[in-house]
Amino acid sequence: MDDKPSPGTVNESSELLFSFGVIADIQYANLEDGYNYQGNRRRYYRHSLLHLQGAIEHWNKERILPCCVLQLGDIIDGYNAQYKASEKSLELVMNVFQMLKVPVHHTWGNHEFYNFSRDYLTNSKLNTKYLEDQIVHHPGTVTSGNYYAYHFVPFPKFRFILLDAYDLSVLGVDQSSPKYQQCLKMLREHNPNLELNSPQGELFL
């Protein structure tokens, strides 16, 4: 029987090139436990800070530190906006992230936009675009400053690309702007629900 590992398999003799941490959907709020939108999954709003602290302690204790951590969005829960606690909750979570010994790259999810405008996020600590790799753009490239996306190389021949998943969205956009009307039209064309935030009957590809 052939004991050779298949391509891509990590074994004891494999050389570690680099590592990175990933965390998503912290969704902190100073609230009692609740449930998700569908009501079938419990959410531990207040307890989520302990999970974040545990993850950071683990990363900080690694023999070889990860090169960075990717925070994939929904750092605080949308309920914070209802209780006017968005800024305070964000500050609490960001203070925990300060314990981390490596850089953290933040992406923005829908809960960021339930709490803040795009302009606010652009000028907040959740904007880590300053960590991007500086490259010379092609002369014909037309860039827009109104989106949040960048890339960086954590290790030679590896490139991470952080995309702005809500560049075309009704969330975080001034309702009087042409872009909001464009996004609302698109949303109504593809979402048959009266409640446009409802995923019922939607097809996700």
Side-chain angles (χ1 to χ4, degrees):
M1 190 171 179
D2 189 358
D3 291 331
K4 289 184 178 179
S6 59
T9 300
V10 177
N11 56 39
E12 292 182 2
S13 63
S14 298
E15 179 187 359
L16 175 66
L17 300 180
F18 72 100
S19 67
F20 60 95
V22 177
I23 193 165
D25 296 294
I26 298 169
Q27 292 189 215
Y28 170 76
N30 187 22
L31 296 172
E32 298 298 325
D33 299 345
Y35 288 88
N36 64 346
Y37 189 87
Q38 289 80 15
N40 58 6
R41 184 175 296 175
R42 197 165 182 83
R43 285 184 173 168
Y44 304 93
Y45 298 110
R46 197 175 284 131
H47 196 71
S48 63
L49 274 187
L50 295 178
H51 287 297
L52 174 60
Q53 290 170 357
I56 290 175
E57 288 172 6
H58 173 79
W59 289 320
N60 285 344
K61 290 177 182 176
E62 287 285 285
R63 183 176 61 85
I64 300 176
L65 288 177
C67 66
C68 64
V69 167
L70 307 178
Q71 188 280 116
L72 299 184
D74 293 352
I75 194 169
I76 63 174
D77 195 84
Y79 273 125
N80 286 287
Q82 181 179 332
Y83 294 99
K84 301 186 184 305
S86 301
E87 292 188 5
K88 183 177 181 180
S89 292
L90 179 60
E91 183 181 3
L92 278 172
V93 180
M94 297 303 286
N95 285 342
V96 175
F97 266 112
Q98 287 184 352
M99 297 162 43
L100 190 60
K101 295 179 180 179
V102 298
V104 55
H105 297 264
H106 294 287
T107 61
W108 301 344
N110 55 316
H111 284 262
E112 275 76 14
F113 290 105
Y114 294 156
N115 284 283
F116 305 111
S117 69
R118 179 171 286 271
D119 286 342
Y120 183 96
L121 291 171
T122 299
N123 294 290
S124 75
K125 293 178 180 178
L126 288 178
N127 183 347
T128 48
K129 201 171 181 180
Y130 65 91
L131 295 173
E132 75 175 328
D133 286 344
Q134 301 298 320
I135 62 172
V136 177
H137 291 282
H138 187 277
T141 300
V142 178
T143 59
S144 169
N146 198 29
Y147 71 96
Y148 176 65
Y150 65 94
H151 56 86
F152 65 97
V153 176
F155 190 85
K157 298 186 179 180
F158 290 85
R159 184 176 299 276
F160 287 3
I161 302 173
L162 280 70
L163 298 177
D164 188 343
Y166 287 87
D167 179 37
L168 286 178
S169 172
V170 295
L171 298 178
V173 183
D174 185 347
Q175 294 187 13
S176 64
S177 68
K179 187 170 186 177
Y180 178 88
Q181 298 303 322
Q182 174 197 0
C183 295
L184 185 61
K185 179 175 181 291
M186 185 185 304
L187 186 58
R188 284 174 171 161
E189 287 174 353
H190 295 279
N191 187 344
N193 300 306
L194 290 176
E195 170 53 61
L196 293 176
N197 197 40
S198 172
Q200 185 175 355
E202 288 299 287
L203 205 58
F204 296 97
L205 302 177

